[in-house]
Amino acid sequence: MIPMLIVDAFAERAFAGNPASVCLLERWPADEWLAKLAAEMNHSETAYLVPEGGDFELRWFTPAVEVDLCGHATLASAAALYHTGRASPTQPIVFHTRSGPLTATRRGDEIELDFPVTPAEPATAPEGLLAALGVSPANVGRSKFDYLVEVAGEDVVRDMTPDFRALLDVECRGVIVTARSSDAEFDFVSRFFAPRAGVDEDPVTGSAHCTLAAYWHERLGKCEFRALQASARGGIVGVRLAGNRVQLGGRATIVLEGTLTTAASPH
């Protein structure tokens, strides 16, 4: 029997933040099976974990592709390992991934992830990007994964209605749209769109904050932030920049726990 959990990451309650499926495996099945189950679960990411000594190998799949880095599904994976007793809450969890080793550490009610910084270099918006977003940019940059577009204010971020079909023509994993927050509780807000990866809008995107941390450090002159991803579900991310690493903190809520049936198990 293969355990499966659904976890709302960067959420203080159920049905908020970003849901991820977490599949706890003993060994790696064929990639085709991993892709099919991720499409069946239809969350922005399904995380797969396999024990490796005292650590875990971790891979992430959207409904369409495997990705190199995912924050919320890593947070969900740590929560699932704590919940099922596969990891001690007093010790960091080490994940071996396509982006190198990543760690998760329990900090009271939150889990803190240690991720690489992925800074955005100044860039020219590719043809069709701004028209698809329907915004006028204050700045445009590009990280190794995504475009970043800063706009005039939080209301622009919240009110935009992108043309997702048009965004399919933009060659990148996704697009981060961000602005300074108009609420003193937060430093900046963002939204994240990735139709080429099979996710029109991701509710809360940990990996995007690896880019946003460096971007807002340059503009605000600080290293610690409280960030809001202003999607319909919404999510709060604690962000701390430390050299070429960034710590992302948030809570997670277990929503569902079960097992795959024999019919769904890899053969």
Side-chain angles (χ1 to χ4, degrees), residues 105-167:
T105 304
R106 185 67 123 180
R107 306 285 189 203
D109 292 335
E110 294 194 346
I111 297 169
E112 183 179 81
L113 308 177
D114 182 82
F115 270 37
V117 174
T118 54
E121 299 296 331
T124 300
E127 183 177 356
L129 173 60
L130 300 177
L133 293 174
V135 299
S136 297
N139 283 297
V140 177
R142 183 167 186 176
S143 74
K144 64 186 292 187
F145 298 127
D146 310 307
Y147 277 100
L148 181 149
V149 178
E150 182 188 354
V151 294
E154 180 173 335
D155 56 337
V156 178
V157 176
R158 289 183 176 276
D159 294 343
M160 60 187 297
T161 54
D163 181 339
F164 297 120
R165 187 175 295 275
L167 279 178

Side-chain angles (χ1 to χ4, degrees), residues 6-55:
I6 295 175
V7 184
D8 286 344
F10 297 110
E12 298 183 359
R13 64 185 189 283
F15 315 127
N18 199 353
S21 303
V22 180
C23 183
L24 304 174
L25 299 164
E26 294 301 321
R27 62 190 64 84
W28 288 112
D31 285 4
E32 180 184 11
W33 183 86
L34 299 175
K36 285 183 175 179
L37 180 59
E40 181 83 4
M41 299 309 296
N42 202 34
H43 287 127
S44 57
E45 258 84 18
T46 294
Y48 296 100
L49 292 159
V50 170
E52 183 184 273
D55 303 338

Side-chain angles (χ1 to χ4, degrees), residues 8-19 158 186 190-191 201-205 227-237:
D8 286 344
F10 297 110
E12 298 183 359
R13 64 185 189 283
F15 315 127
N18 199 353
R158 289 183 176 276
F186 303 104
S190 66
R191 289 171 68 186
E201 180 169 5
D202 195 35
V204 191
T205 315
L228 174 69
Q229 192 151 334
S231 64
R233 290 174 65 102
I236 298 170
V237 185

Side-chain angles (χ1 to χ4, degrees), residues 162-211:
D163 181 339
F164 297 120
R165 187 175 295 275
L167 279 178
L168 285 169
D169 295 330
V170 179
E171 292 189 10
C172 63
R173 181 189 71 160
V175 181
I176 308 162
V177 181
T178 187
R180 290 190 67 163
S181 177
S182 57
D183 183 341
E185 183 181 355
F186 303 104
D187 294 290
F188 60 84
V189 300
S190 66
R191 289 171 68 186
F192 185 81
F193 311 104
R196 283 177 71 98
V199 183
D200 283 350
E201 180 169 5
D202 195 35
V204 191
T205 315
S207 62
H209 288 78
C210 297
T211 301

